[in-house]
């Protein structure tokens, strides 16, 4: 008997091990179980394995708890800490391990290669080892070496899950990219994703598969950097970025998605992946100036939000109470890694402001010097300026009359363009828009 058999007996799916139960590994494991496979998902944390085995999912992801519990209830999903044991019972092994970027931007592959070295001796003959984490071009060859086996296959199958929609993205992918040296092996990986996924399989060489992921994320980040740069220009020329991107998006070559101006891009992927791609390119003597410029421009754009807040207060936020709605890097997730909202908060604190915030995923208390409140209005009470930093839907329907009362004047920096400028101004508040000519030239506020 092995882990798969003990889980629940026969199945017509594959026997799969997923190493790493972070937001990628856990989502993938649960979705593969949902698709009918027998999945053993591992994590080095005993406590995390115990929580997951009880159906307690420590990640805020729409639908993830339900699909994990479905897998557990059907006996198609099991959690354990022992990587060797998990792979010994599997024909397919996914590596879903962290690949953080070092100070120089290079992706840290130590987690991936350490696990590859560990599981090598336990792999079944003919096993397929799949790199799912975002890894630089050439990683599959390093994994093959670390495995120390000549009777297994190494395949690149990068993930394209966006936080907040990871389950949907996994079950309804735009494409399944598979880099392999053997077409039959590639086909077998494509078939893991069911008919819908297999129909969207893109089979290619390993290097191209590894690069498709980085190129996609770097393009999306650069696209947003361009939109935010146009937003800055709109403010200067009195145009409105919402109208500009609406007009742009009607061009089928541009498309309407991913054109929303905001406080800059962040999260655990774009910053990491853009830096890693630049590092790879530099290592091969290729100067990715366009991506380097996007990284720099994005950082400047976020800092400009802090400058605009200071400008609204006669040039200084020192000793002022500034409110922040949203701390996560985007709505739909509890992830604050490299969040523009956190960058803005830290910038304001460094200038002497006291920052009070509300975020639906953050419990009241103090987080990195930020006073977190239980409601948007509690955070905004008495603030000289309110910054809307994350696009949580509840912010679009707040009672602006109540906001006007609790703020008693002051300004609203709508960095996610969620509020109606006129309705805000009607409450005696100065509306500081992003990328809009509606931005009232904010005189220094005597507040
Ligand atoms: C991204 C990619 O979308 C996904 O395919 C990949 O697998 C992982 O990296 P994620 O980082 O979860 O996903 O978030 P995403 O939705 O791409 O947003 C990234 C950043 O761009 C966020 O800070 C978000 O607020 C910002 N953004 C996104 C905008 O400012 N405007 C937009 O129109 C879209």
């Amino acid at each position: 008997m092995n882990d798969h058999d003990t889980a629940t007996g026969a199945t017509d799916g594959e026997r799969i091990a997923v190493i790493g139960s972070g937001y990628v590994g856990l989502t993938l494991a649960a979705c593969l179980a949902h698709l009918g496979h027998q999945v053993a998902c591992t994590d080095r944390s005993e406590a995390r394995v115990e929580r997951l085995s009880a159906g307690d999912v420590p990640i805020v992801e729409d639908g993830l708890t339900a699909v994990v519990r479905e897998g557990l209830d059907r006996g198609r999903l099991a959690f354990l800490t022992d990587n060797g044991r998990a792979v010994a019972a599997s024909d397919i092994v996914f590596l879903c391990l962290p690949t953080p970027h070092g100070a120089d931007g290079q992706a840290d592959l130590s987690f991936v290669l350490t696990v590859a070295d560990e599981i090598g001796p336990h792999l079944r003959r003919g096993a397929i080892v799949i790199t799912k984490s975002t890894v630089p071009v050439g990683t599959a060859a390093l994994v093959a070496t670390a495995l120390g086996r000549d009777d297994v296959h190494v395949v690149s199958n990068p993930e394209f899950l966006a936080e907040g929609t990871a389950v949907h993205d996994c079950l309804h992918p735009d494409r399944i990219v598979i880099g392999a040296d053997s077409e039959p092996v590639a086909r077998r990986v494509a078939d893991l994703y069911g008919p819908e996924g297999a129909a969207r399989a893109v089979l290619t060489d390993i290097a191209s598969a590894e690069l498709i992921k980085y190129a996609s994320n770097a393009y999306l980040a650069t696209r947003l950097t361009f939109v935010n740069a146009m937003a800055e220009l709109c403010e200067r020329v009195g145009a409105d970025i919402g109208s500009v991107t609406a007009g742009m998006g009607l061009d089928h070559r541009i498309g309407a998605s991913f054109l929303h101006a905001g406080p800059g891009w962040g999260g655990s992927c774009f910053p990491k992946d853009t830096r890693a791609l630049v590092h790879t390119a530099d290592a091969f003597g290729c100067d990715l100036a366009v991506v380097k410029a996007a990284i720099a421009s994005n950082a400047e754009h976020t800092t400009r939000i802090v400058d605009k807040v200071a400008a609204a207060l006669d040039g200084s936020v020192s000793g002022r109470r500034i409110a922040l709605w949203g701390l996560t890097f985007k709505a739909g997730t509890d992830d604050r890694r490299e969040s523009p909202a956190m960058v803005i908060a830290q910038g304001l604190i460094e200038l002497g402001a006291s920052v009070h915030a509300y975020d639906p995923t953050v419990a009241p208390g103090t987080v990195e010097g930020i006073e977190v409140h239980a409601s948007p209005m509690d955070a905004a009470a008495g603030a000289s300026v309110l910054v809307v930093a994350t696009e949580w839907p509840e912010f679009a329907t707040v009672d602006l009359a109540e906001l006007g009362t609790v703020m008693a004047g002051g300004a609203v920096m709508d960095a996610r363009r969620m509020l109606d400028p006129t309705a805000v101004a009607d409450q005696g508040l100065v509306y500081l828009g992003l990328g809009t000519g509606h931005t009232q030239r904010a005189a220094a506020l005597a507040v």
Side-chain angles (χ1 to χ4, degrees):
M1 295 288 273
N2 60 45
D3 286 287
H4 294 301
D5 300 340
T6 43
T8 40
T11 170
D12 54 0
E14 295 270 13
R15 297 187 303 181
I16 301 172
V18 174
I19 312 296
S21 61
Y23 112 91
V24 172
L26 180 58
T27 303
L28 176 68
C31 289
L32 289 171
H34 175 75
L35 289 167
H37 304 293
Q38 211 58 40
V39 184
C41 185
T42 74
D43 198 280
R44 63 183 178 183
S45 160
E46 186 73 54
R48 192 177 182 91
V49 165
E50 280 179 25
R51 279 187 71 177
L52 291 170
S53 300
D56 177 11
V57 174
I59 297 173
V60 171
E61 268 298 336
D62 187 31
L64 184 55
T65 296
V67 72
V68 166
R69 289 180 179 170
E70 176 197 75
L72 291 168
D73 294 346
R74 289 182 179 176
R76 292 190 182 280
L77 181 61
F79 296 98
L80 65 162
T81 56
D82 188 333
N83 291 333
R85 197 169 135 209
V87 305
S90 303
D91 303 305
I92 310 279
V93 179
F94 280 94
L95 302 181
C96 300
L97 297 154
T99 55
H101 61 82
D104 62 356
Q106 181 174 13
D108 175 359
L109 295 177
S110 60
F111 297 98
V112 172
L113 298 179
T114 300
V115 165
D117 181 66
E118 173 197 357
I119 65 174
H122 302 280
L123 289 168
R124 302 164 75 91
R125 291 177 56 80
I128 300 173
V129 178
I130 303 168
T131 56
K132 193 68 178 173
S133 309
T134 305
V135 293
V137 177
T139 300
L142 298 176
V143 167
T145 303
L147 291 172
R149 296 282 293 266
D150 59 7
D151 58 348
V152 300
H153 306 278
V154 178
V155 169
S156 167
N157 172 217
E159 56 87 10
F160 293 100
L161 310 182
E163 292 192 44
T165 56
V167 173
H168 176 272
D169 296 343
C170 195
L171 295 175
H172 307 288
D174 287 344
R175 76 295 205 194
I176 299 286
V177 171
I178 300 166
D181 294 331
S182 146
E183 183 159 348
V185 168
R187 285 281 164 219
R188 188 167 167 203
V189 174
D191 290 343
L192 295 175
Y193 294 93
E196 183 180 337
R200 297 184 180 169
V202 175
L203 307 187
T204 185
D205 62 276
I206 291 175
S208 299
E210 291 168 332
L211 191 52
I212 287 170
K213 167 66 185 206
Y214 280 103
S216 300
N217 266 13
Y219 167 77
L220 291 168
T222 304
R223 177 179 172 107
L224 290 177
T225 298
F226 179 82
V227 168
N228 288 330
M230 287 302 104
E232 287 296 320
L233 181 57
C234 283
E235 290 177 18
R236 303 280 193 286
V237 301
D240 182 87
I241 190 61
S243 302
V244 171
T245 53
M248 289 170 64
L250 294 172
D251 183 319
H252 73 278
R253 296 165 303 174
I254 298 173
S257 301
F258 236 77
L259 284 180
H260 300 298
W265 42 264
S268 64
C269 297
F270 281 6
K272 163 177 70 73
D273 295 349
T274 48
R275 293 186 183 103
L277 182 61
V278 164
H279 186 276
T280 296
D282 283 344
F284 285 86
C286 177
D287 178 20
L288 278 187
V290 63
V291 181
K292 290 175 181 174
I295 294 168
S297 176
N298 183 60
E300 289 160 10
H301 180 71
T302 302
T303 302
R304 260 197 298 275
I305 304 286
V306 177
D307 298 342
K308 286 172 183 170
V309 171
L313 295 175
D314 200 18
S316 170
V317 298
S318 181
R320 299 289 189 121
R321 175 170 171 151
I322 309 295
L324 209 57
W325 282 357
L327 290 175
T328 55
F329 83 97
K330 68 173 188 177
T333 176
D334 61 348
D335 197 343
R336 300 196 299 271
R337 287 176 289 180
E338 302 216 37
S339 166
M342 295 301 289
V343 172
I344 291 166
Q346 296 312 324
L348 291 166
I349 289 169
E350 283 166 18
L351 292 174
S354 69
V355 176
H356 294 252
Y358 164 80
D359 186 289
T361 67
V362 184
T366 302
V367 171
E368 297 181 44
I370 303 164
E371 198 59 44
V372 180
H373 296 262
S375 77
M377 292 303 166
D378 287 351
S384 301
V385 179
L386 161 66
V387 181
V388 182
T390 307
E391 71 288 13
W392 288 105
E394 65 185 276
F395 300 152
T397 56
V398 294
D399 179 343
L400 291 175
E402 184 183 1
L403 179 64
T405 302
V406 300
M407 283 188 71
V412 177
M413 173 72 236
D414 186 8
R416 289 287 186 170
R417 299 171 49 83
M418 297 183 75
L419 305 178
D420 176 342
T422 305
V424 169
D426 287 349
Q427 305 309 323
L429 299 167
V430 174
Y431 180 81
L432 303 173
L434 182 95
T436 178
H438 298 308
T439 298
Q440 297 172 2
R441 297 288 163 245
L445 300 173
V447 293

